[in-house]
């Protein structure tokens, strides 16, 4: 319970700062103006900073590359399907909010929340890449597998 209180207090402190920072750089304001609101809100909330590039792919997916940070792929409904830390780790704030609770608690139990480098979801299966282990979580069966 104490952990949740700490996370909540951190959110109350950082959310106003994040909203002020935004995620648009001077060089690409036009791109951000064309970005779906759901995507820009997601990026501002979880990966604030300057966007290096944003593209809509022919299959309807969107790709946002944050400067010196993550690359996020969204499906045509503007929901994240992949977050790649590009050699860096992914925010535990994102992990807490966007991964299934059972999967998040499993990674937390391993003491590896600060060692997640990539997360993606495909057909209800979450895949998480850690420093030296990959974890798969099937949301239909609730099973977790390490490889």
């Amino acid at each position: 319970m104490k952990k949740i209180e700490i996370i909540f207090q951190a959110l109350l402190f950082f959310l106003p700062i994040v909203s002020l920072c935004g995620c648009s750089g001077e060089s690409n304001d036009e791109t951000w103006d064309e970005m779906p609101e759901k995507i820009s809100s997601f990026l501002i909330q979880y990966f604030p900073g300057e966007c290096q590039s944003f593209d809509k792919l022919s299959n309807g997916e969107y790709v946002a590359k944050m400067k010196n940070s993550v690359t996020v792929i969204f499906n045509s409904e503007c929901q994240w399907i992949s977050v790649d830390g590009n050699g860096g780790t992914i925010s535990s704030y994102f992990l807490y909010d966007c991964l299934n609770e059972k999967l998040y608690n499993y990674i937390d139990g391993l003491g590896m929340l600060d060692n997640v480098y990539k997360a993606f979801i495909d057909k209800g299966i979450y895949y998480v890449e850690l420093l030296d282990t990959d974890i798969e979580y099937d949301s239909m069966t609730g099973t977790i597998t390490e490889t």
Side-chain angles (χ1 to χ4, degrees), residues 29 36 47 62 84 91 112 138:
D29 283 342
F47 307 106
Y62 300 89
D84 187 340
S91 155
M112 299 298 282
D138 186 330

Side-chain angles (χ1 to χ4, degrees), residues 54-66:
F54 178 76
D55 296 299
K56 182 173 183 180
L57 306 178
S58 60
N59 64 359
E61 293 178 347
Y62 300 89
V63 179
K65 168 73 176 103
M66 304 304 287

Side-chain angles (χ1 to χ4, degrees), residues 72-91:
V72 184
I73 301 175
F74 300 89
N75 63 17
S76 58
E77 288 84 36
C78 301
Q79 302 205 349
W80 77 273
I81 55 174
S82 175
V83 177
D84 187 340
N86 298 314
T89 57
I90 297 173
S91 155

Side-chain angles (χ1 to χ4, degrees), residues 61-133:
E61 293 178 347
Y62 300 89
V63 179
K65 168 73 176 103
M66 304 304 287
K67 187 174 183 180
N68 301 318
S69 184
V70 301
T71 299
V72 184
I73 301 175
F74 300 89
N75 63 17
S76 58
E77 288 84 36
C78 301
Q79 302 205 349
W80 77 273
I81 55 174
S82 175
V83 177
D84 187 340
N86 298 314
T89 57
I90 297 173
S91 155
S92 58
Y93 174 50
F94 161 80
L95 299 173
Y96 180 79
D97 277 358
C98 298
L99 293 184
N100 176 282
E101 183 179 1
K102 183 176 180 179
L103 176 58
Y104 176 86
N105 289 335
Y106 183 82
I107 297 168
D108 187 27
L110 295 173
M112 299 298 282
L113 288 175
D114 294 331
N115 292 301
V116 176
Y117 291 86
K118 186 172 185 178
F120 58 101
I121 184 169
D122 183 36
K123 299 176 184 165
I125 300 175
Y126 291 81
Y127 301 90
V128 178
E129 295 180 11
L130 306 175
L131 182 61
D132 56 2
T133 303

